[in-house]
Amino acid sequence: MQLVKRKQHIEKREVFITCIVPVYNEELNVCTFFSELQACLRTLTGHFEIIAVDDGSRDGTVAKILQLPTDYHIKLLQFSRNFGKETALMAGLDHASGDVAILMDADFQHPITVLPEFLKQWGEGYDMVYGVRENRDTESSLKRNFAKLFYWLMAKLTKIDVPNNAGDFRLLDRKVIDALNSFKERTRFMKGLYAWVGFKKIAVPYEVQERAAGKSSWGFVKLTELAITGITSFSNIPLRVWGFIGFIISSVALIYAIYIVTVTLIYGADLPGYPTTVVAIMFFGGIQLLSIGILGEYIARIFTEVKQRPKYILEQKHGFNDETDPTN
Ligand code: UDP
Ligand code: MG
């Protein structure tokens, strides 16, 4: 959409906004959250839809969502099990019909009050408006440091520029939605893909709020998995580095061999040296296992991709015109 048109659309309250909200065991938040969200969207436009993606919740989340008033314009995609937030966002994008899509969490950590600013920036011509956390105080220092290490590794190992402290809280233009939907990858690292697709982007700072109710479902194991996905999806360096390390080690070994031969020729055979042998065996054993492990990481991803399984399975859809799943 052209710039002038975007502005006119916003003024006439005609922008069709799709809001995508993944929910997983959020029964304590959904009622208040969707009520506040729809009230905010109503002030921005006359035409919106909220797509709630239930990621296999085991509490009353779905029942609560289905009870919400119809004028909230909520559509529900219910997964058959927990597929993870990234997949939930993907499903939301697959089903979004808006001119723009806004992705946000259901736990009030992404402030609804920032949405008018997001839309304003879209009106200024930006195709992707992303929220950047001003503070990470709500998280433990361990988690913060882990995040720092991850961003540092991402910057060093990949060519794409993943902005620090920007999460999934963002507004995407239709062009970006279509670009993201055209990806065939099954294991998706959204933060990387947002950067990879390009387009005009702008950051909008926001203060992370405390989680309203319930607890975060991202433990360390899940976060580590996400970090490994991030790096392996966008960088081949972990694969290549072993060639380099192998070269260095072989060169050192060759030099050492020449030294041994020379010393033996001059001074005769000399038996001691068991500790060195043991250390060398353990060192090279370790290096080999490590490199095989990294190879395994990539092979596992290739395996997932070639199986061509559906990205997610929907148990049911509510509120969509076509209640069969177009993507699977
Ligand atoms: N979520 C999800 N599937 C999951 C975990 C989380 O859809 O497996 C949703 C959750 O309901 C929330 C959002 O993703 O709307 C962010 O999750 P959470 O607050 O647990 O993560 P954090 O804020 O700690 O990053
Ligand atoms: Mg949260």
Side-chain angles (χ1 to χ4, degrees):
M1 209 180 289
Q2 290 145 357
L3 190 55
V4 194
K5 248 184 156 180
R6 281 191 190 181
K7 283 196 169 146
Q8 281 174 357
H9 259 58
I10 295 179
E11 271 160 29
K12 289 197 209 146
R13 298 170 31 84
E14 274 175 358
V15 186
F16 184 8
I17 302 181
T18 301
C19 208
I20 300 169
V21 187
V23 285
Y24 177 55
N25 296 343
E26 301 278 5
E27 65 177 353
L28 298 171
N29 290 323
V30 280
C31 294
T32 39
F33 177 76
F34 285 120
S35 142
E36 286 188 25
L37 178 62
Q38 63 87 29
C40 171
L41 291 174
R42 221 170 270 283
T43 61
L44 296 175
T45 180
H47 194 24
F48 67 88
E49 63 177 3
I50 297 174
I51 302 184
V53 189
D54 170 59
D55 191 9
S57 299
R58 273 170 299 214
D59 62 359
T61 305
V62 171
K64 288 237 161 92
I65 292 176
L66 291 175
Q67 278 165 13
L68 294 171
T70 47
D71 70 344
Y72 280 17
H73 302 289
I74 294 191
K75 300 178 175 179
L76 175 71
L77 294 172
Q78 192 187 352
F79 281 179
S80 59
R81 64 168 171 88
N82 180 259
F83 280 89
K85 181 184 172 189
E86 309 261 309
T87 313
L89 290 175
M90 216 191 295
L93 288 171
D94 278 339
H95 290 81
S97 9
D99 299 321
V100 299
I102 296 173
L103 317 179
M104 65 191 302
D105 290 357
D107 56 5
F108 288 97
Q109 286 197 288
H110 297 159
I112 295 174
T113 43
V114 179
L115 300 191
E117 179 63 20
F118 273 16
L119 194 66
K120 196 176 133 219
Q121 295 297 347
W122 176 77
E124 298 295 330
Y126 293 97
D127 296 315
M128 192 179 317
V129 188
Y130 58 94
V132 171
R133 307 182 202 196
E134 289 264 88
N135 56 335
R136 289 189 87 118
D137 305 347
T138 54
E139 297 175 338
S140 66
S141 68
L142 193 64
K143 201 167 169 183
R144 268 207 305 272
N145 285 325
F146 188 82
K148 247 195 215 155
L149 173 71
F150 169 72
Y151 285 116
W152 181 82
L153 268 179
M154 253 337 245
K156 292 278 172 240
L157 295 180
T158 67
K159 288 195 194 73
I160 55 164
D161 183 22
V162 175
N164 277 16
N165 296 336
D168 290 309
F169 183 33
R170 39 187 87 212
L171 177 146
L172 312 174
D173 181 67
R174 172 48 56 189
K175 280 189 283 200
V176 183
I177 305 174
D178 290 342
L180 289 173
N181 287 346
S182 69
F183 281 84
K184 299 271 185 293
E185 313 180 31
R186 263 121 244 277
T187 325
R188 287 195 212 187
F189 178 66
M190 295 299 276
K191 276 188 194 155
L193 295 182
Y194 297 134
W196 194 93
V197 292
F199 295 109
K200 241 175 115 183
K201 305 183 179 74
I202 189 164
V204 171
Y206 73 96
E207 295 268 326
V208 190
Q209 311 297 310
E210 285 287 343
R211 196 173 221 292
K215 61 180 182 41
S216 166
S217 20
W218 290 88
F220 263 100
V221 177
K222 257 181 153 180
L223 280 175
T224 312
E225 252 173 40
L226 189 67
I228 294 179
T229 306
I231 290 168
T232 49
S233 314
F234 287 95
S235 172
N236 296 331
I237 293 179
L239 276 179
R240 289 189 178 151
V241 74
W242 300 106
F244 179 69
I245 293 178
F247 175 73
I248 301 280
I249 291 179
S250 316
S251 313
V252 173
L254 188 69
I255 294 170
Y256 188 56
I258 295 173
Y259 166 77
I260 299 268
V261 169
T262 323
V263 167
T264 313
L265 284 179
I266 300 174
Y267 300 104
D270 179 23
L271 257 189
Y274 284 117
T276 339
T277 320
V278 172
V279 169
I281 290 177
M282 279 169 50
F283 175 71
F284 294 119
I287 293 258
Q288 279 165 10
L289 283 181
L290 195 66
S291 55
I292 293 174
I294 299 219
L295 277 180
E297 212 36 72
Y298 281 86
I299 295 175
R301 267 158 233 290
I302 299 171
F303 186 45
T304 321
E305 296 298 327
V306 294
K307 275 187 287 190
Q308 294 273 315
R309 289 201 181 142
K311 290 174 279 187
Y312 48 84
I313 304 282
L314 289 177
E315 185 169 329
Q316 58 170 339
K317 282 165 104 180
H318 271 283
F320 291 89
N321 291 335
D322 161 27
E323 297 213 341
T324 56
D325 185 10
T327 54
N328 290 319

